[in-house]
Amino acid sequence: MNKTTNEVQELILDKLARYFAITPEQATEEQIYKAASLVVRDILLQKKQENNARIAEGKYKRVYYLCMEFLIGRSLKNNLFNLGLTEQFDKCLKKMGFSLEDIFERESDAGLGNGGLGRLASCFMDSLATLNYPAMGFTIRYEYGLFKQRIVDNQQVELPDMWLPSGEVWMMPRSDKRFTINLGGRAEEYLDGNGRMRVRYVDSQQIDALAYDVMISGYGDGAGVSVLRLWSATSTTQFDMRSFSQGDYEKAMQRENEAELITKVLYPSDDHSQGKQLRLQQEYFLVSASLQSIIKDHLRLYKSLKNLPEKAAIHANDTHPALAIPELMRLLMDEHDFSWDEAWDIASRTVNYTNHTVMAEALEKWDENMFRTVLPRVYSITCEINRRFIAEMNDRHVDGAKIANMQVINNNQVKMANLCVIGSQKVNGVSALHSDIIKDTIFSDFNEVYPDRFTNVTNGITHRRWLLQSNPLLSSLIEELIGSDFHTKPETLSGLNKFATDKTVLDRIGEIKKQNKKAYAEYVKKTTGFALNPESRFDTQIKRLHEYKRQLLNVLKIVHYYLDLTDNPDKKVTPQTFIFGAKAAGGYMHAKRIIQLINCLSKEIQKNPKIKQKLDVMFVENYNVTQAEHLIPASEVSEQISLAGKEASGTSNMKFMINGAVTLGTLDGANVEIGERVGDDNIFIFGVKTDEVERAWRAGYNSSTIYTHNDEIKRVVDRLRIGFDGESFSDIASYLIQGNYNVADPYMCLLDFDDYKRTAERMDEAYNNADRWNKMALVNIAQSGIFSSDRSINDYAKNIWRLKKVKKV
Ligand code: 26W
């Protein structure tokens, strides 16, 4: 984007005058942030309009990405970077007496997601825009995003996340994009004057969905602009005038409040489907509004819906938007006069589905009665999908037990993953291992009947946000060594491999890591007061807190080191700092206890300066996208230690890798592919493999036997009972060896402990040889190109969506 510093200045002055009636001298940082963001928004809008004209002209196929979560983080810095305007804004603000870095700090994270799934969706928007595939994302404009985490008395406290005051500037309200959604009531069938079956809704609640568009600029020449459309619920335009004029204001407002409830808050759980009615309403709301909007746009361009599969790919990111299948059927049949067979042909060739988890409790199932009550018409369509599926399977002589397993509705439950597989053109997992696992486990029966439906697309991250923007020192070194092609061709990072034995380059990589660590320590000191020792090794585990991710295994290892040092304070060790960042779902008590354990251990260490020098623990409060951007470039060890077979892919593993951190992990998710890329010498793998987990269970895995026979483990677990900082953790000790409600040590921490500890010791040796370690870092960076979301998006475009890039003019 060509704009001079003076032009930028003029635009900002204009916004300050128009929106706040002030001059820069009178402006606060907040007002400068808003004015600058509005200027950027105008530029994006102009770019989008030019690009959209090209898409419409070329009649390109488009992808519509439906996702209940988008973890966007901050937007100003990202947009300036992608538009190539950072320098101009920086200079201009300096002239006005402001620092651009401080202005960035005024923006709250848009935390409209829980974790990996939502961040992936945001990385995909960046790549879609950069590669200029015609794309639009759809999600919900939650008034409150993921809760803000405070640590009080070592425990997590959840506070509402009020992101809108600063996030709102990025959203363009689209009063022309308003659709009505029907919930509840009854769906009555009747014959119209022409003898056609019609459906009317009786006693249903009507809610309007109002669109807000956020534009996301791609990076570089030829890039496009993707739109993320956020739906907000509001009552229908007809106000309850009767109640109002009778003075019953409560009743008059009630409808408004009930409608708005739908988009009030994001459900804070990413590992457990609670089957709540409001969540089902949210999912339907997203799907129905998005499909109505897609259909309207399609009809404007093509006048008919017959070619929908050729011109639109609708993507369900996990099962949360699974209702897209019956809802598309409903719209095609009830509103556009298609027969069942025609509608099914269109819908099942248009929709695709990505699975992100095999954890049984995360797979969505709805109580059939509730589903029928909330969505009467969609329910009857879903029943018909189910009936026809069963008939097809019977025709194909599929075994009855297998059919029962694949049915959408069974035992009074509606199973969303089954609905997705039946109604999708393609189904994919998110890493090579995970895509194999879904074919062998949850979808094995489906894989027998629809073998061509399943495929893999390994996840990726946008290296523009996670390397270029967050690690400028490393980025400049890479540019100096191989030029800047890698900005848009991440695979060219492999050009760094030729420096693997170049001592000067290796030293500089080490030096940059040191500087990043120092900068991070200063940032932490300033923002929290915590004193990090930049001379120690930074070993980081950041992700949602969940048992299967095994933060507890990491803690057991740290407690082991801690006990060694309390017994022998003069022991020579590699000084290390373990950094954790994690939010636990509010109702997930065990996860919250682990957060408390980490914080208590950290507190206890702070009381002993001699130990702190050698072994430290820090918990990052309110871990989010912005915190990750600060921390990852400073990290040296990437902890990816889930029990094998449980982590679908992981994406922080990729962010660490591209920043030169070395993975300490299990053979799970994308760690497997990272290992294949870097080779055994450049990764530390430990623990049981997926098939061994199954075998260990069958052989009667018994953690208490391990506890009794392994003195080190016994010492660590016993110490949990005594606890830290005055708090006993005997509940966690008994979770490990007795099992509180069910099986003991369900994620096999004790089974993997020994190998984990031994592997960490091997890592110490490598770390203490600076050349060896820096070479490992370099190889990790050089081999990370394939984990760019540019590669993932090209895979989706080619193998699933069949999209073409918009041509440059
Ligand atoms: C209905 C409750 C619920 C909500 C969200 C269940 C499951 C989810 C998500 C699918 C959980 C999630 O974020 N999964 C993560 O997706 C990432 C992107 O593919 C993967 O890298 C992670 O391994 C996976 O845990």
Side-chain angles (χ1 to χ4, degrees), residues 69 115-117 120 269-273 279 318 320 356-357 362 364 430 459 548-549 647-651:
E69 308 190 4
L117 169 94
L120 183 78
S269 169
D270 74 341
D271 45 57
H272 204 91
S273 169
R279 169 79 177 190
D318 214 90
H320 319 147
H356 295 263
T357 176
E364 289 188 297
V430 289
N459 281 167
Y548 84 79
K549 296 180 188 279
E647 188 70 272
S649 160
T651 41

Side-chain angles (χ1 to χ4, degrees), residues 61-78:
K61 184 174 184 182
R62 270 197 192 208
V63 62
Y64 300 98
Y65 200 81
L66 270 52
C67 186
M68 288 287 281
E69 308 190 4
F70 276 81
L71 253 185
I72 305 169
R74 288 176 174 165
S75 289
L76 180 57
K77 182 172 173 178
N78 186 59

Side-chain angles (χ1 to χ4, degrees), residues 354-370:
T354 301
N355 171 279
H356 295 263
T357 176
V358 291
M359 305 283 294
E361 63 272 30
L363 297 178
E364 289 188 297
K365 297 180 190 76
W366 301 104
D367 173 80
E368 188 178 353
N369 285 325
M370 193 250 280

